[in-house]
Amino acid sequence: MNPCQPIPRAGEPCAIVIFGASGDLTKRKLIPSLYNLASYHLLPKNFSIIGVARSEMNDQEFQDRLGKDLTQLGTQPVDPNIWDGFRDRMLYCPGNFDDPKTYERLGQRLAESAKKLGTNGNVLFYLSVQPSFFATIAKMLAQYGLTKEEGNWRRVIIEKPFGHDLASALELNRNLTGALQEHQIYRIDHYLGKETAQNLLVFRLGNAVFEPIWNRRYIDHFQLTVAESIGVEGRGAFYESAGAFRDVMQNHMFMLLALIAMEPPNSLQGEVVRNEKVKLLQAVRRTSAEEALASTVRGQYGPGQVGGESVSGYRQEKNVNPESTVETYAAVKLMIDNWRWAGVPFYLRSGKRLAKRSTKIVVRFKVPPLGLFGENENEMIAPNRLIFNIQPDEGITFQVRAKVPGPTLATNAVHLDFDYSQFGERAPTTGYEKLLYDCMVGDSTLFHRSDMVEAAWEAAQPILDAWGNNPPKDFPNYAAGSWGPSAADELLERDVHKWWYPPE
Ligand code: BG6
């Protein structure tokens, strides 16, 4: 079954301008996603793709190059019936991002696209560039009148990092909103394009059984895990300025947290959903330095074995300081000070070079009030867990207690499983299709608004400050291929909890 089948209409006619068109994201994700949308009949009939990059190329060379990449990197075989029409709509505009001539040329190409390809004056700009160019490009686009909406729309997609800390995030937002209106800015988060991330709200609010128990009375705690088995993959220089907390936790994980814990919105209108997410992020407790240090754990991997292979430690990676104190692992306990979640801990952990790739949200319910089926009166019987498997094996599992067959009364945990095979076969996707499509139809629900970004940084800043003022002394403190530093286990043990691990 086509993954986008339930969506009824194709996107609106538009030109899609990709800044950074010769980069990795364009060939790995953007062109394959747009091609997939075309194959699902969700790309408008009248579209164009205009690549902007420094390399000198003509349209033909641009088309040939990306056609070749699509054959290698696309998620489905290239069908000449789709590709021929697609290729003819790809244009190229060479130029530097800070050169006025680039924007003059782009203006001409956009006019040509509107006239010859019927794109109607709607333009989606995708800034697949270094974040240091976001503000410059937004300013130049505005200066050359390319973001002016006159009976049509002009939208700009940017991808994280949205700042390095609260101050730089505020500055970036100021620069962006100086050039664009907030409704034109689409801050993309590829995590929210993942199928099970989108299922979080559907599952919570589309099933009457869960919402009544989705609160502090029935839920003991949450665990959010984004574990990666890969290392920094040649991105040492970038990672040295980021670390696990900034790279994954403050953005992807905080936004998953918002989805799992926000109040039910009264409609699915983009602004309504985003209002609820902001409220939740604003309710994350801002900690003192002391509390921040006590409720967090940092780690950095040393050499070890991953998947049976020996791998080097973080400090031995290319472009990494041999004495680096950058964390490749972070675990935090967050509290949310609102009526629904008072007293319920949210444990988040993320790391590189861990034992397994596994992104999960585990909802741990409280135990029944009376241990009827335990071995003795004091024994706590196993609690129910609802597990959202975001990747790699997508699905949702409900762990319940059942009687083991036989003459004696013994119980064990069993799983009620949902996986997507129940919807039939799924075509593989890049994860960007839904997000690009949403931008084309003006649905901002899955994109971050400036106040969401700021609220997430506000919650993160006390932790970053406490860490900055107290450099770690024990790095490296976990072996590549393990589940992270032992201090992360102790963090939960103090609350008489344990991290939930995916079955071997
Ligand atoms: C990116 C981070 O945002 O997310 C990477 O910069 C990380 O470091 C990646 O590897 C994880 O994404 P996914 O979709 O592979 O889980």
Side-chain angles (χ1 to χ4, degrees):
M1 185 173 136
N2 178 330
C4 300
Q5 218 163 34
I7 302 173
R9 63 189 168 111
E12 295 165 19
C14 64
I16 300 152
V17 177
I18 305 177
F19 280 84
S22 51
D24 237 34
L25 189 77
T26 305
K27 66 179 182 202
R28 289 185 187 281
K29 303 284 183 190
L30 303 183
I31 298 296
S33 313
L34 291 168
Y35 175 83
N36 286 348
L37 284 174
S39 76
Y40 312 147
H41 307 290
L42 290 174
L43 207 58
K45 217 167 88 233
N46 294 335
F47 73 94
S48 68
I49 297 172
I50 306 179
V52 185
R54 274 177 287 250
S55 344
E56 278 297 334
M57 258 189 288
N58 60 29
D59 291 350
Q60 176 84 45
E61 285 163 333
F62 180 58
Q63 295 163 0
D64 290 348
R65 183 198 275 203
L66 285 171
K68 215 163 119 211
D69 291 336
L70 181 64
T71 315
Q72 283 168 9
L73 303 167
T75 62
Q76 54 171 317
V78 179
D79 176 347
N81 292 323
I82 302 169
W83 173 246
D84 288 348
F86 191 94
R87 181 192 52 211
D88 292 346
R89 294 179 163 268
M90 291 171 71
L91 314 176
Y92 187 69
C93 173
N96 286 326
F97 305 144
D98 52 2
D99 180 358
K101 287 202 201 75
T102 306
Y103 298 84
E104 282 165 16
R105 264 196 299 271
L106 180 58
Q108 288 157 10
R109 299 243 68 181
L110 281 170
E112 182 188 332
S113 152
K115 199 158 155 216
K116 293 200 192 142
L117 301 173
T119 53
N120 226 7
N122 296 328
V123 188
L124 186 168
F125 298 96
Y126 199 116
L127 309 196
S128 174
V129 299
Q130 293 289 336
S132 53
F133 280 116
F134 289 165
T136 312
I137 297 177
K139 205 168 125 211
M140 300 285 266
L141 286 174
Q143 207 172 321
Y144 282 81
L146 301 178
T147 51
K148 206 157 175 203
E149 298 184 310
E150 284 167 331
N152 49 39
W153 51 257
R154 303 280 161 126
R155 298 175 185 142
V156 179
I157 299 187
I158 57 170
E159 190 149 359
K160 76 164 198 54
F162 309 124
H164 180 75
D165 52 18
L166 178 59
S168 55
L170 288 169
E171 191 191 338
L172 176 65
N173 279 342
R174 261 195 312 274
N175 286 333
L176 290 174
T177 49
L180 303 161
Q181 296 180 62
E182 179 62 36
H183 77 264
Q184 296 181 290
I185 310 171
Y186 283 66
R187 296 175 189 80
I188 206 167
D189 182 333
H190 81 278
Y191 255 76
L192 303 188
K194 295 186 192 285
E195 210 45 73
T196 308
Q198 291 174 56
N199 225 332
L200 290 172
L201 269 198
V202 176
F203 211 75
R204 265 186 69 183
L205 306 174
N207 297 297
V209 291
F210 291 115
E211 190 46 33
I213 56 170
W214 211 255
N215 56 51
R216 67 182 185 285
R217 281 186 289 279
Y218 298 95
I219 292 180
D220 186 84
H221 70 271
F222 287 82
Q223 295 183 13
L224 284 73
T225 300
V226 175
E228 295 187 273
S229 54
I230 56 169
V232 288
E233 307 287 288
R235 295 194 308 154
F238 156 76
Y239 207 79
E240 279 286 276
S241 67
F245 189 84
R246 285 187 172 92
D247 186 36
V248 168
M249 196 172 280
Q250 182 276 341
N251 35 66
H252 303 317
M253 296 190 75
F254 276 25
M255 294 305 160
L256 290 178
L257 170 76
L259 277 175
I260 199 85
M262 67 190 232
E263 290 300 307
N266 53 15
S267 85
L268 283 186
Q269 211 241 323
E271 296 313 327
V272 177
V273 175
R274 300 198 298 179
N275 288 345
E276 295 305 336
K277 289 186 187 173
V278 177
K279 277 197 252 167
L280 189 282
L281 292 167
Q282 287 171 341
V284 174
R285 186 177 300 167
R286 277 57 170 149
T287 47
S288 67
E290 225 168 58
E291 285 163 345
L293 290 175
S295 58
T296 62
V297 172
R298 284 168 285 179
Q300 188 193 75
Y301 62 87
Q305 294 263 323
V306 178
E309 279 186 24
S310 299
V311 298
S312 50
Y314 176 68
R315 289 178 177 182
Q316 289 81 51
E317 301 271 11
K318 203 167 150 223
N319 296 327
V320 168
N321 176 351
E323 288 170 16
S324 174
T325 53
V326 168
E327 84 286 354
T328 59
Y329 177 99
V332 308
K333 170 182 171 182
L334 299 178
M335 300 303 290
I336 295 178
D337 291 327
N338 69 11
W339 202 259
R340 186 184 288 264
W341 297 122
V344 177
F346 289 74
Y347 303 102
L348 280 62
R349 62 176 165 163
S350 176
K352 296 232 180 249
R353 284 282 188 236
L354 296 179
K356 234 182 180 173
R357 176 172 186 242
S358 172
T359 297
K360 296 197 188 307
I361 298 180
V362 179
V363 187
R364 209 283 232 165
F365 290 90
K366 292 196 167 160
V367 293
L370 197 61
L372 278 182
F373 304 110
E375 292 276 287
N376 59 59
E377 224 182 322
N378 297 324
E379 191 180 85
M380 288 216 311
I381 74 162
N384 298 131
R385 286 190 181 86
L386 183 61
I387 302 165
F388 294 91
N389 299 306
I390 294 175
Q391 62 190 21
D393 306 312
E394 296 173 283
I396 301 169
T397 295
F398 198 19
Q399 211 178 67
V400 296
R401 201 91 188 148
K403 180 184 172 298
V404 180
T408 57
L409 181 57
T411 67
N412 214 336
V414 292
H415 293 162
L416 310 180
D417 276 325
F418 155 72
D419 70 43
Y420 290 85
S421 64
Q422 289 175 37
F423 289 121
E425 209 182 309
R426 272 203 301 161
T429 65
T430 66
Y432 275 71
E433 290 83 356
K434 164 82 177 145
L435 297 164
L436 287 169
Y437 174 82
D438 280 1
C439 186
M440 273 186 264
V441 296
D443 183 348
S444 57
T445 315
L446 295 179
F447 297 83
H448 305 341
R449 209 167 55 191
S450 60
D451 51 355
M452 288 165 62
V453 174
E454 287 167 18
W457 278 116
E458 276 164 16
Q461 198 60 53
I463 297 174
L464 289 170
D465 289 343
W467 284 3
N469 294 331
N470 296 275
K473 297 193 180 74
D474 59 346
F475 279 8
N477 60 356
Y478 71 97
S482 70
W483 275 106
S486 54
D489 293 326
E490 289 148 24
L491 179 72
L492 266 70
E493 279 158 18
R494 287 206 292 273
D495 294 345
V496 202
H497 293 317
K498 271 190 163 57
W499 290 109
W500 187 88
Y501 287 99
E504 285 304 313

